[in-house]
Every structure is written in structure tokens, then in C-alpha cells.
Amino acid sequence: MKLFTAVSLAAASSVAAFVVPAQVGRATTTALDAHIDRRAFAAAAGLAFVGAAAPALALGTPEGGYVPKSDDYKQLYFLGTTLDSLATKVADSGQFEAARKGIVEFNKDPNFYTDYAKRFIAKSVKNGASGDVRVGYIREASAKIGSVQELLEGRQGLEGKAAATEAVKRVKDAQRLIAKFFAESGIEGEEKVTAYIRAHP
């Protein structure tokens, strides 16, 4: 199983805004590794999971009537909630650099969440998980988050307040797409997920 150490990606003063733990080692290799995420990601602003191992996705088959488990989608939930703090930072041009650093790290593995969503969806469909519209939501959300890097670097023709407004829009759009994924994936029954969906219509 892989072990992970949380690394703060973006800090304003002493508080992290967008955190991604980095991989530090690997103890064993098993068949289960295919179901284990390469990285664990942060929860809310300023919080990190130090030394935490990424959970294995619960095993199941479409034929067996897969029932979603929180461990199977919690990385997506953590991403969605962490974006609250990112939105706060990109709204303030004085914190652009702190936010940008976090997105630079995010862009080192831009397909992570899409692949994570695909493995989740593959548990409830026999074929075509890659092309499933729900996986597309996460793919689009990741693209929106990643695109904020160039925006904050002034490479998309916007600066200051205009850049901040556009950055916040992209982050909020990403959150709505994540909420849409939850709503259409049979996991809206959990209280915290339901609250997230309602907060990002």
C-alpha cells in the first residue's frame, strides 16, 4: 500500500488554501493496487491528512448491484469542499500567487479525479465508464480548475478584479459539476453530500 504525506500547496499567512498530499513511499505491490489512488487529497481549507493512505475503492461488480460507499467517492467530496477556500483566494488579487501555487500542483496530475470518477462509475456500469456523462462532469470540472492557473498568471487577457471574477466563476462551475456528479450517481442520500448538492445548484 502507498503512504502519503500532506504538503501545503497554497498559503496565505500560515493557512493553506488548496492542499495536495505528496506520495512518499510504497511498501508492497498487490492486485489491490489497481484500486488504490495514487494520491490522497485535502479536505477543507487549512486541513491536511498527514501520513494518510489513500483508501482502496470498495470492490464490487455491476452484476452484483453495487451500492456506493463513502470511501469510494470521498476524494471527490474533499476536492469539492476544498474548492471553497480556493474560491475565496482567487476572489482576492492579493492572494493570486498563493492560489496559483496550489493549482500548479493540481495540474501536475490533471487526470487524477477523472480517473477516480471513472473507477467509481465502472462499479455500476458493465461497459463504457470512460464515456459516461458523469465522468465527463469531473473531467470538465478538472479542466476548469486547471485553467485558472493561466488566468492568474495573466496569460488569458484578464487582470485584477476581472481575473478574480472569472476565476471565481470557474471554481464555482467546477463545484456545480461535482455536485451534479453526486446527484446522478446514487449517493445523494448521505447528509453531507446532500448538503453539498444543495449548496451548489
Side-chain angles (χ1 to χ4, degrees):
M1 175 175 273
K2 303 177 182 179
L3 299 178
F4 304 83
T5 300
V7 177
S8 175
L9 302 180
S13 300
S14 60
V15 181
F18 194 57
V19 185
V20 181
Q23 178 179 334
V24 297
R26 177 187 182 108
T28 61
T29 300
T30 71
L32 190 60
D33 286 342
H35 300 281
I36 298 176
D37 294 303
R38 208 158 49 79
R39 296 179 184 175
F41 285 79
L47 299 179
F49 292 86
V50 181
L57 294 181
L59 301 178
T61 64
E63 295 83 356
Y66 169 69
V67 176
K69 300 175 177 62
S70 61
D71 274 355
D72 293 356
Y73 58 80
K74 72 179 182 180
Q75 300 301 335
L76 292 171
Y77 178 76
F78 289 157
L79 171 65
T81 55
T82 301
L83 292 178
D84 286 334
S85 61
L86 180 62
T88 298
K89 288 200 175 294
V90 299
D92 178 2
S93 60
Q95 300 188 65
F96 276 6
E97 182 58 19
R100 188 194 70 81
K101 288 179 180 178
I103 301 169
V104 166
E105 292 301 316
F106 178 91
N107 281 335
K108 288 181 179 179
D109 191 5
N111 296 319
F112 173 81
Y113 290 107
T114 300
D115 291 340
Y116 187 94
K118 181 169 61 178
R119 289 194 296 274
F120 177 84
I121 295 300
K123 296 180 179 301
S124 59
V125 298
K126 292 183 178 180
N127 298 296
S130 294
D132 191 279
V133 65
R134 293 165 293 180
V135 175
Y137 298 153
I138 302 305
R139 183 180 294 110
E140 185 179 352
S142 295
K144 285 182 178 293
I145 296 165
S147 73
V148 175
Q149 178 184 339
E150 288 192 357
L151 179 63
L152 298 185
E153 291 171 348
R155 292 192 281 156
Q156 295 186 0
L158 297 176
E159 296 181 355
K161 185 176 181 180
T165 299
E166 177 61 22
V168 170
K169 179 181 182 300
R170 294 183 194 183
V171 174
K172 295 297 185 182
D173 284 347
Q175 289 186 299
R176 281 191 285 272
L177 286 162
I178 293 170
K180 197 171 182 180
F181 174 91
F182 290 151
E184 296 181 17
S185 297
I187 54 180
E188 70 275 14
E190 187 170 347
E191 184 176 350
K192 66 180 182 180
V193 175
T194 299
Y196 185 87
I197 293 170
R198 288 175 178 171
H200 304 93

